[in-house]
Amino acid sequence: LPLADQRKAILPAPAGQRKVVLATNIAETSLTIEGIRLVVDSTQERVASFDPRTGLTRLLTQRISQASMVQRAGRAGRLEPGICLHLTSAEQAERAALQSTPEILQSDLSSLLLELLQWGCNDPSQLSWLDTPPAVNLAAARRLLTQLGALADERLTAKGQKMAALGNDPRLAA
């Protein structure tokens, strides 16, 4: 949306009118929109999931974690009394994962690997990670960077250095 429309979306509703906000995971951000007293949570989310066999990322719809349910509920009535309706049974909510899967475990790591190589880190396993990136995803990232001409003999090529300097997805940078 244009900036003016974005600003209008987060302003309070005019007196005597209601505002309906249709959102996805925005209900989990730190953004507070005045006048939100009711959150209807579908308990669904769209997540990007990388398939290292195909080298493609696809969007999957899945149930959210218990932590996300709590976070979304916290958006209702932040500035005044409010309620949150989760569109799931209590039993399903209790069976939900406690936390969402860390993004690094299901992402295309080609941008990350390109940055690491730019910093001089040829072996990501030497770093301390909260969640270690999957070896299969790192291998797919190495294959892609090699195919794009960014990587040769475990080092960035001149083309790879130019790609890294652009700061965008390696495919686009190539």
Side-chain angles (χ1 to χ4, degrees), residues 58-72:
R58 61 188 179 134
L59 280 177
L60 301 175
T61 301
Q62 64 185 29
R63 289 246 176 235
I64 61 172
S65 67
Q66 290 180 20
S68 290
M69 285 184 218
V70 169
Q71 182 66 21
R72 290 180 183 190

Side-chain angles (χ1 to χ4, degrees), residues 30-73:
S30 60
L31 178 65
T32 297
I33 301 175
E34 290 182 46
I36 301 297
R37 293 184 300 276
L38 172 65
V39 169
V40 179
D41 179 11
S42 69
T43 68
Q44 300 278 316
E45 66 181 349
R46 300 283 304 236
V47 293
S49 179
F50 178 71
D51 182 346
R53 290 177 295 120
T54 63
L56 299 174
T57 299
R58 61 188 179 134
L59 280 177
L60 301 175
T61 301
Q62 64 185 29
R63 289 246 176 235
I64 61 172
S65 67
Q66 290 180 20
S68 290
M69 285 184 218
V70 169
Q71 182 66 21
R72 290 180 183 190

Side-chain angles (χ1 to χ4, degrees), residues 63-166:
R63 289 246 176 235
I64 61 172
S65 67
Q66 290 180 20
S68 290
M69 285 184 218
V70 169
Q71 182 66 21
R72 290 180 183 190
R75 295 290 121 191
R78 281 192 67 78
L79 302 175
E80 56 193 291
I83 60 172
C84 178
L85 303 173
H86 296 289
L87 301 181
T88 190
S89 68
E91 184 179 273
Q92 285 178 322
E94 289 172 6
R95 285 196 320 250
L98 294 177
Q99 300 286 330
S100 299
T101 301
E103 187 175 346
I104 198 166
L105 300 181
Q106 57 191 20
S107 294
D108 175 0
L109 301 177
S110 58
S111 291
L112 171 67
L113 184 59
L114 186 62
E115 271 192 56
L116 292 177
L117 291 166
Q118 183 184 29
W119 296 344
C121 176
N122 293 342
D123 184 6
S125 68
Q126 294 177 337
L127 299 175
S128 297
W129 299 92
L130 290 176
D131 295 289
T132 304
V136 67
N137 291 22
L138 284 170
R142 283 189 190 284
R143 277 192 309 276
L144 175 66
L145 293 178
T146 301
Q147 289 170 347
L148 295 175
L151 182 62
D153 299 322
E154 299 298 313
R155 296 200 173 279
L156 280 184
T157 63
K159 180 180 180 181
Q161 291 171 1
K162 288 179 186 176
M163 289 168 57
L166 292 174

